[in-house]
Every structure is written in structure tokens, then in C-alpha cells.
Amino acid sequence: MQVAKNKVVSIDYKLTDGSGKTIDSSENHGPLLYIQGIGNLIPGLEKELEGKKAGDHLKVTIPAKDGYGERNDSLCQSVPKSQFESTEGLEIGMQFEVETEQGELVVSVTKIEGDMVTVDGNHPLAGVELHFDVTVKEVRDASAEELAHGHVHGEGGHHH
Ligand code: ZN
């Protein structure tokens, strides 16, 4: 069976950045299961996996624009500490959700200076060229329920 829209695909992968530093690896948490063609994965990787089958191994480089997008400097903002409900435990790297006109956005604290806090709404991997080393483990049909939920059920997926 080949990877195609609405198939459940199980992959082992290692993700590194341009300098060879490992960003994420299925060695740490087991294979990734996703449904092809519905936006579970970054578009660049879905495209490379289309038509592949169990046992196929591929090494692909995905430019930031087909990965987590280019960095958008307008998502970086300095806000006064007084706008935070609490500044207790406020530290660099902390993440929280904010309401924006475009909906909820996860932002990270990138700088704390005096009374000002810089928050960045870019995905941590925005602007990063992604190097994937992927092995397809299994391809199967998604169940109607999985398609309705938009995610994989069972081992390696959602349990509910
Ligand atoms: Zn579900």
C-alpha cells in the first residue's frame, strides 16, 4: 500500500537542522503516526512521502517555507510586565497562549529586560531549514472515525 490521502502512515524519523544538530527523533518517543493529506504534517514532508511504501527510506531537505514557515518579525513584540497577570516564574523560554485577531497563538518569552518582556509568536522552527531522515514503517487505511477526528487512534495515536 502506498502513502496517499487519508492513509494512516507510521514513520521513524530524525530531524536535524542545517548544522547537523538533532531537533527531534522518533528514537526518543517511538514512531510518528499521522494521516496523510489532511495537514497533520508539514506540507513539504507530506509531499515527499506521497507514493512511498513501507520500508522506503528517504533523506529530504525542506526549506523553511514548506516547513514551519519563514520568520515573521511582526509576531515579535515587547510588552510591559504590567500587562501580565503575574510575573512570578516569568522566564525566557516560557510559553503561553494569547488571543489575537487571527485566533489563539502560542508565544514564547525571548527576552526580559527591565520592565519589558519580549514575546515571539513564531513557531520555534520558523525560518529553519529542516533535514529529515525518514523510514516508512507502515501504511494502512484510516478508519471513518479517525478521518472524522482528524487524527490516528490506537497505539502511537490518540486514546479516548
Ligand atoms: Zn479521536
Side-chain angles (χ1 to χ4, degrees):
M1 188 177 280
Q2 289 184 315
V3 176
K5 187 172 165 66
N6 294 345
K7 302 291 183 197
V8 171
V9 187
S10 168
I11 57 172
D12 267 328
Y13 70 96
K14 188 171 165 187
L15 169 60
T16 51
D17 66 12
S19 69
K21 189 181 130 217
T22 301
I23 298 168
D24 190 16
S25 169
S26 55
E27 273 182 16
N28 301 333
H29 46 68
L32 170 74
L33 278 84
Y34 77 96
I35 302 174
Q36 174 81 355
I38 63 165
N40 280 178
L41 273 199
I42 54 167
L45 189 55
E46 277 205 337
K47 206 172 110 204
E48 296 286 350
L49 283 163
E50 181 80 18
K52 298 290 186 292
K53 55 187 189 316
D56 282 354
H57 176 232
L58 55 157
K59 282 189 167 181
V60 293
T61 299
I62 295 170
K65 70 175 172 57
D66 296 324
Y68 293 95
E70 302 288 359
R71 279 190 59 81
N72 178 353
D73 287 335
S74 73
L75 294 176
C76 230
Q77 280 192 339
S78 283
V79 289
K81 275 185 181 169
S82 58
Q83 290 206 359
F84 289 83
E85 273 173 37
S86 160
T87 54
E88 204 171 313
L90 194 68
E91 59 180 16
I92 288 169
M94 198 179 142
Q95 293 190 318
F96 50 94
E97 285 185 355
V98 293
E99 290 287 341
T100 71
E101 284 168 15
Q102 285 81 39
E104 279 189 355
L105 185 67
V106 176
V107 301
S108 318
V109 174
T110 55
K111 198 164 90 176
I112 303 172
E113 213 170 52
D115 285 335
M116 297 301 286
V117 179
T118 304
V119 295
D120 185 352
N122 284 286
H123 188 282
L125 293 178
V128 177
E129 184 181 76
L130 307 168
H131 298 256
F132 279 98
D133 192 326
V134 180
T135 303
V136 180
K137 296 195 67 180
E138 193 191 349
V139 184
R140 65 164 169 87
D141 286 315
S143 69
E145 196 186 40
E146 286 174 321
L147 289 175
H149 288 198
H151 54 230
V152 177
H153 290 160
E155 199 181 331
H158 285 246
H159 299 270
H160 60 98

